[in-house]
Amino acid sequence: MRRFCFLILLMLCLAVLIACGGNEDKSYITFGEAGVLSAQVETAQAGSIRVPSPAGTSAGSCVGWQAKTEDGTVFLQIGSIYTYEAGENISFAPVYLNLKTEDASLVLDGTNANISFVTKVKKAEWEKFNTFIADVTCGTLIFTASDIAATGGTLTHAAFEKAGKTPLEIPAADMLANAGEEVYFVGALSIDSELSGSKDYTAVGYVKITYTDGSVAYVYANAKGYSPSPILLARAALLDFSDTQGGVYQYPAGDKFSPYTSEEQAKLEELSRFSVLLVFDESVKGYKRLHDDSDANLYESRLIRFGADSDAVGDEGNSAEARAIYRALGKTIYTGGGALIISVKDGTHLSEANIADILIDYGTSIGEIETYIFYNGSLVVPYKVYSDPH
């Protein structure tokens, strides 16, 4: 009996050894992380496998799979086809990248002013990613509110091209490091042009990757839909005071102290003057309205109707306000039956002192609105007033 048990035990051991030896001879292409397989195929014969998405909740931020081989690093795009040779044995690990583009900030350098967008990523994540990628570039797309509407909120190169929009593209010179656990790159737009101060701008950062097989893909940052206009940024900067001198607050500003030099404060005063941008639109009364790119957080507008004389008609036209505005415009101004009234949402009164320009976009050219009045802190533009394009 003992001899029989010994023979059975010996046979079991041999079976285990044979099985183990067989597994050692097998080769696989494996896609997995921390013991969790996303895909695996035996490579007894040459073949191909579609590169999977990784399992788990972080799949959305995965930018590909990497592995070190005798020929160097292989980096594969999700969804691509990897062709392997018989006996090839490689384990691929996922690479993640989470980009975030922050709200705009105003950057002053003497009399030069830029609206700046910073895109950040965790330092450890970037270093792991950049170790395996030989061909990668970073940049920022800067665009306006109407561009976002045209793309349906999809902020990619392909979506802008499909919508017939051309955002400003700013390549990043360098990936910079800060004192924390993040690295970042910057895209900036000069706001010294005639129209730039009157528009809502926002941006999205991106990383362009060229994979081992030559395919190219963009990874885009998470970004908010809108950022404050240059006017709002400049106004906020002007109100950044301290009662005492110290730290960044080194420069006199009346009886307080500012982070900005006298030269920079003068530039902020200039930038904080309101620029109103209208658009010619035959589908609305008066053929003009606030431009889609005007700061949605800054202005609000409404229409008011008048009669053929000083007695305005209709429920709206009979209001005391309508009659007062009609008289203020005067009989020498042909109103066309009404006016567009534009106000600042925070209650700031508009006047000649704080208005830089009132422009109208004709689609092919820009004109100036020359006939207007100010009434109770609002800008009033009559319906039938146009300007020569320039």
Side-chain angles (χ1 to χ4, degrees), residues 127-170:
E127 288 178 346
K128 181 179 180 181
F129 165 77
N130 206 35
T131 298
F132 304 108
I133 313 303
D135 194 351
V136 59
T137 56
C138 304
T140 305
L141 299 178
I142 301 177
F143 39 87
T144 61
S146 62
D147 294 335
I148 299 175
T151 66
T154 303
L155 309 180
T156 66
H157 286 81
F160 284 120
E161 183 178 0
K162 183 178 180 180
K165 298 294 183 178
T166 307
L168 180 65
E169 186 163 3
I170 310 295

Side-chain angles (χ1 to χ4, degrees), residues 24-52:
E24 286 178 358
D25 292 338
K26 291 182 179 181
S27 297
Y28 298 89
I29 298 296
T30 302
F31 296 87
E33 179 183 28
V36 179
L37 288 180
S38 296
Q40 187 180 62
V41 62
E42 186 180 350
T43 60
Q45 296 179 344
S48 62
I49 182 173
R50 183 175 295 277
V51 179

Side-chain angles (χ1 to χ4, degrees), residues 180-212:
E181 297 180 353
E182 296 172 317
V183 292
Y184 65 96
F185 57 88
V186 179
L189 168 71
S190 171
I191 56 173
D192 289 330
S193 68
E194 183 180 44
L195 292 177
S196 60
S198 61
K199 292 186 176 182
D200 248 348
Y201 290 98
T202 193
V204 61
Y206 67 83
V207 172
K208 179 182 178 182
I209 304 170
T210 301
Y211 293 88
T212 304

Side-chain angles (χ1 to χ4, degrees), residues 20 45 93 95 106 144 156 164 171 184 189 194 199 222 235 244 253 261 264 269 286 302 314 352 358:
C20 291
Q45 296 179 344
V95 177
L106 190 64
T144 61
T156 66
Y184 65 96
L189 168 71
E194 183 180 44
K199 292 186 176 182
N222 291 324
R235 287 168 64 81
T244 58
T261 66
E264 290 170 339
E269 290 280 1
R302 56 193 173 94
E352 291 285 2
I358 309 166

Side-chain angles (χ1 to χ4, degrees), residues 215-273:
S215 61
V216 175
Y218 288 90
V219 178
Y220 295 94
N222 291 324
K224 294 186 177 179
Y226 300 95
S227 286
S229 72
I231 294 172
L232 286 179
L233 292 171
R235 287 168 64 81
L238 278 173
L239 296 175
D240 185 12
F241 292 124
S242 174
D243 292 329
T244 58
Q245 187 176 28
V248 297
Y249 299 94
Q250 293 294 327
Y251 306 102
D255 60 349
K256 299 182 184 296
F257 296 92
S258 168
Y260 304 99
T261 66
S262 58
E263 186 180 38
E264 290 170 339
Q265 289 176 50
K267 183 64 178 180
L268 288 172
E269 290 280 1
E270 176 189 333
L271 293 172
S272 65
R273 296 181 68 200

Side-chain angles (χ1 to χ4, degrees), residues 355-379:
I355 282 269
D357 41 43
I358 309 166
L359 305 173
I360 183 165
D361 184 353
Y362 289 101
T364 58
S365 59
I366 301 297
E368 291 183 3
I369 297 293
E370 297 178 349
T371 304
Y372 56 88
I373 65 169
F374 295 99
Y375 177 80
N376 281 352
S378 295
L379 172 68

